[in-house]
């Protein structure tokens, strides 16, 4: 990624100021044509598809406890490190690369090469 945070490169999306996402919090953000949930787990930022696999609830408005993100609609829980729904081996939210550059949160929607 180039040093200039305004030219992060193809596939990367600026989600806003990193200082507005303190540890233990989760936010909802729009990146391109997707809604993502970005969580801060002890200073590490992790991003998942923000639309719950159950019935489309807003995961970015859920509750974060350690690495567990709970959907605000019906309580499905996901591990934000992996995207896995905690009661099912087959349900997994897409996850995305995140970087913080010059106090901006950047997320890459493209899958890693
Ligand atoms: S929509 Fe997320 S648990 Fe139902």
């Amino acid at each position: 990624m180039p040093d200039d945070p305004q030219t992060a490169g193809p596939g990367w999306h600026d989600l806003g100021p990193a200082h507005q996402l303190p540890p233990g919090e989760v936010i909802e953000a729009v990146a391109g044509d997707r809604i993502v949930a970005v969580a801060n787990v002890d200073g590490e930022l992790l991003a998942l598809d923000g639309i719950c696999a159950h019935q489309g609830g807003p995961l970015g408005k859920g509750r974060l406890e350690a690495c567990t993100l709970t959907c605000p609609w019906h309580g499905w829980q996901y591990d934000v490190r992996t995207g896995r729904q905690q009661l099912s081996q087959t349900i997994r939210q897409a996850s995305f690369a995140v970087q913080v550059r010059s106090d901006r949160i950047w997320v890459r929607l493209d899958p890693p090469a």
Side-chain angles (χ1 to χ4, degrees):
M1 180 183 286
D3 287 339
D4 182 352
Q6 299 305 314
T7 57
W12 287 90
H13 298 265
D14 181 357
L15 301 187
H19 70 268
Q20 292 183 358
L21 180 56
E25 299 285 328
V26 61
I27 58 168
E28 182 176 73
V30 176
D33 61 354
R34 301 191 75 139
I35 295 174
V36 298
V38 185
N40 185 334
V41 178
D42 296 330
E44 180 183 8
L45 300 193
L46 301 149
L48 299 179
D49 183 342
I51 304 297
C52 181
H54 181 218
Q55 292 183 354
L59 291 180
K61 296 181 178 177
R63 186 179 71 251
L64 181 68
E65 295 177 278
C67 293
T68 300
L69 177 58
T70 302
C71 178
W73 282 8
H74 314 101
W76 279 27
Q77 294 184 312
Y78 299 87
D79 185 328
V80 293
R81 297 166 302 182
T82 63
R84 289 192 189 280
Q85 200 264 4
Q86 294 201 329
L87 297 178
S88 168
Q89 294 297 313
T90 59
I91 299 171
R92 185 174 189 159
Q93 293 292 105
S95 57
F96 308 107
V98 181
Q99 288 193 358
V100 176
R101 298 172 63 81
S102 301
D103 192 44
R104 306 293 294 182
I105 301 169
W106 291 86
V107 64
R108 190 180 70 201
L109 298 184
D110 302 338

